[in-house]
Amino acid sequence: MLTAVVTYSGTTFDVALTGATFVTAEEGSEAEGPENDLNPIAPELKEVVWGFGAFVVLAVAMRLYLFPKVRKGMSARYDHIEADFDDAQALTASARADVAEYEAQVASVRAEAQQRVEAARATLEAERAQKLAEVNSRIAEKRAAAAAEVEAARQAARGQVEAAVADVAGRLGELATGRRASDEVVRSAVTQAMSQEVPA
């Protein structure tokens, strides 16, 4: 009989097989010796057949059922990704077109606003020029009226000034010479002197 003795020390297992006894039919006695018919590494024929059969069934199932489903799923996923990519490109193109249209509208609105501002500026400038012309004409009228009033006042005062100067000149001539000059001579001399322009 084959006996296995297992000993454990630290981290090692020791396995020792003690001899086996064989009984032969002829002798009727027991004989010790190793068993030659047992090989733990070599598989048995039925294990090989069952393993090969399971592999063939799995290969056939994968080829006929699983692989087409995986391929179909991958193809569907690829088609879905391609459709999403095409949709994204179309959406991007649409967004760019919308942005271009918006920028064109903004440019037209700015141009229209600039035209309105220029028109308002031109209108204001025309109104300003008109008002300035009106104010300048009123100022010119008032200046002319004031100049006329001053000239009228000067002419009115000139007679009085000439009379006063003639009286003073006649009196000074009388004091200087001892006799009074005629009023006509004094008045014509004063008029002549006052009518001469004074150099600037």
Side-chain angles (χ1 to χ4, degrees):
M1 172 175 262
L2 185 60
T3 307
V5 178
V6 179
T7 57
Y8 174 72
S9 67
T11 59
T12 354
F13 286 98
D14 291 327
V15 178
L17 295 176
T18 57
T21 57
F22 296 100
V23 178
T24 59
E26 300 146 334
E27 298 174 3
S29 64
E30 295 182 358
E32 287 189 3
E35 295 183 7
N36 292 332
D37 59 345
L38 295 177
N39 187 351
I41 295 175
E44 292 186 17
L45 182 61
K46 63 180 180 179
E47 289 177 353
V48 171
V49 170
W50 276 105
F52 182 73
F55 176 74
V56 168
V57 168
L58 180 64
V60 168
M62 285 193 64
R63 177 68 181 101
L64 297 178
Y65 181 71
L66 296 175
F67 184 68
K69 289 233 179 210
V70 169
R71 179 186 278 168
K72 185 178 175 184
M74 288 174 67
S75 177
R77 182 172 181 231
Y78 179 77
D79 293 342
H80 182 68
I81 289 171
E82 282 293 319
D84 287 348
F85 184 72
D86 292 341
D87 290 345
Q89 283 184 336
L91 187 62
T92 302
S94 172
R96 285 185 180 150
D98 289 346
V99 166
E101 181 182 349
Y102 170 75
E103 288 176 351
Q105 288 177 354
V106 166
S108 69
V109 166
R110 283 184 181 161
E112 184 180 342
Q114 187 67 26
Q115 288 176 352
R116 287 185 181 181
V117 166
E118 289 299 325
R121 184 177 290 146
T123 303
L124 287 175
E125 189 64 31
E127 289 177 1
R128 178 179 166 272
Q130 180 184 0
K131 297 236 183 214
L132 278 174
E134 290 174 3
V135 167
N136 285 339
S137 67
R138 279 186 288 187
I139 288 173
E141 289 173 4
K142 287 185 179 182
R143 185 179 289 157
E149 287 178 11
V150 166
E151 187 60 32
R154 182 189 290 163
Q155 291 300 328
R158 184 176 182 139
Q160 294 174 356
V161 169
E162 282 181 5
V165 169
D167 188 36
V168 169
R171 178 76 180 133
L172 283 176
E174 183 183 346
L175 288 176
T177 60
R179 79 179 216 191
R180 180 149 180 106
S182 83
D183 289 336
E184 285 295 321
V185 172
V186 172
R187 208 174 280 147
S188 77
V190 168
T191 303
Q192 186 180 3
M194 287 185 75
S195 64
Q196 289 180 354
E197 292 187 15
V198 178

